[in-house]
Amino acid sequence: MQKEIQTLCARTVCYRRERRSVPLAREFARTALVEWDLERRADEVLLCVSELATNALLHGVPPGREYRLRLLLVSTLADKWGVGERAPGKIVWCEWWPEW
């Protein structure tokens, strides 16, 4: 039996460098997970979104700048994460496999 491969559209949003952006980022991710029918991974994804958004606020985003949250959940990608340098700041990212 062949599994149906579903590609999920990436979603992107920008947030100002302020504390209230962390719960807003979690809500953005939660909404995407519901629409993608991936609520079963919500705890893990929302924890990572919180950690990455907090890290962006504390270490990656200069005052007066924004950070971008991009969710990319594709059934063909492996779980992985990484950090990349950028001027100014840095990029911190993670990806998940959906559980079908």
Side-chain angles (χ1 to χ4, degrees):
M1 178 181 248
Q2 189 175 19
K3 265 190 186 180
E4 179 183 326
I5 296 177
Q6 179 182 1
T7 301
L8 307 172
C9 295
R11 304 225 177 149
T12 304
V13 66
C14 291
Y15 292 107
R16 294 175 54 170
R17 185 180 187 252
E18 55 192 21
R19 289 180 187 234
R20 70 184 191 105
S21 70
V22 176
L24 293 173
R26 279 195 306 267
E27 188 55 37
F28 175 79
R30 183 186 317 276
T31 299
L33 292 172
V34 168
E35 291 175 10
W36 292 334
D37 194 28
L38 293 173
E39 298 97 327
R40 62 191 164 280
R41 297 295 301 263
D43 289 343
E44 299 163 54
V45 173
L46 296 177
L47 177 61
C48 289
V49 166
S50 291
E51 290 297 315
L52 294 173
T54 301
N55 187 321
L57 291 176
L58 296 177
H59 307 293
V61 181
R65 299 289 301 263
E66 295 180 333
Y67 68 93
R68 180 176 21 202
L69 172 61
R70 183 169 193 254
L71 300 176
L72 173 56
L73 299 150
V74 180
S75 63
T76 58
L77 295 178
D79 291 350
K80 56 187 174 180
W81 67 274
V83 177
E85 295 300 319
R86 181 178 178 176
K90 61 183 173 181
I91 298 170
V92 183
W93 55 270
C94 56
E95 299 171 353
W96 298 267
W97 263 349
E99 292 180 0
W100 303 109

